Amino acid sequence: MKKALLAIVFALFVCAAYAKSFSLQVVQKNTPGDQVFDSSFVVEQTILDHFYDRGMIVSNNSVLVSKNDDAQDKTDIRRSMIEAKIGCMDLFVKLSLNYSVLDSANPTAILLSNIKSADLEIVSLNENKTICKGKFTPPSLTDLNNNRSGVEDFAADIANKIQAELAERGGAI
């Protein structure tokens, strides 16, 4: 019994040694003011849950609201990357949610129609090098997906892409 328990514990440590850990930074773009939209929180939580459920080590920083000032945005991202590196994360995953809310009747609502696209960038913190970039466009809108569930499905597609990229690079999922 003791040997079996020891073998299980050893196997868990071996798996953890090969797992990639990452820090997720969601950046909200093209929105008025400093308010973080609920859709941004839903996307962030859906991605985090995806990886927590698979036993991955994932951290996150508060959602950043872009100031539409490239220098300030770069400073904010750099700060988040430093925090991730201090936290011993392997990767930094930046997800920029590009909103289109000028014509929206309810810009702060959890609606898929408020999200124009999402840009993904995965950076190796050890090498300080971008290892993956991607752009995501929400699916065509219907009455069935222009809601929280549609936003969650969109975020799940992004989480699957991140998972595929990590698997391709040898990170355990």
Side-chain angles (χ1 to χ4, degrees):
M1 179 69 171
K2 221 180 210 182
K3 286 183 182 181
L5 182 60
L6 185 60
I8 291 170
V9 170
F10 178 74
L12 289 173
F13 281 116
V14 168
C15 288
Y18 291 106
K20 296 282 185 193
S21 59
F22 70 86
S23 180
L24 174 65
Q25 179 63 71
V26 174
V27 180
Q28 180 178 294
K29 292 186 160 195
N30 306 318
T31 56
D34 291 335
Q35 178 185 2
V36 177
F37 288 2
D38 288 340
S39 292
S40 295
F41 288 126
V42 168
V43 169
E44 178 185 57
Q45 194 59 54
T46 300
I47 292 171
L48 291 173
D49 288 348
H50 176 92
F51 289 100
Y52 286 143
D53 291 347
R54 286 158 180 77
M56 293 260 322
I57 300 168
V58 184
S59 71
N60 66 304
N61 288 313
S62 299
V63 174
L64 289 175
V65 178
S66 173
K67 309 287 189 270
N68 295 321
D69 174 350
D70 287 341
Q72 182 62 49
D73 289 349
K74 285 180 184 178
T75 298
D76 291 342
I77 293 297
R78 199 172 308 118
R79 186 176 301 119
S80 294
M81 288 178 78
I82 290 168
E83 289 175 12
K85 197 164 190 170
I86 289 170
C88 298
M89 295 291 128
D90 298 311
L91 303 169
F92 181 78
V93 176
K94 179 179 122 183
L95 182 66
S96 297
L97 294 175
N98 304 303
Y99 283 82
S100 178
V101 295
L102 292 177
D103 297 330
S104 177
N106 194 351
T108 61
I110 304 172
L111 298 173
L112 191 59
S113 60
N114 288 337
I115 302 173
K116 179 180 173 185
S117 64
D119 297 312
L120 174 69
E121 182 178 5
I122 302 176
V123 176
S124 168
L125 292 171
N126 296 332
E127 300 169 25
N128 197 27
K129 176 178 137 185
T130 298
I131 59 173
C132 171
K133 284 188 173 189
K135 185 166 187 89
F136 299 88
T137 305
S140 298
L141 293 173
T142 67
D143 290 338
L144 298 175
N145 72 0
N146 194 23
N147 52 32
R148 180 185 192 99
S149 179
V151 173
E152 289 171 342
D153 290 345
F154 180 57
D157 289 343
I158 295 168
N160 286 327
K161 172 65 172 172
I162 295 168
Q163 180 178 341
E165 288 298 326
L166 293 179
E168 185 177 304
R169 287 165 173 73
I173 302 292

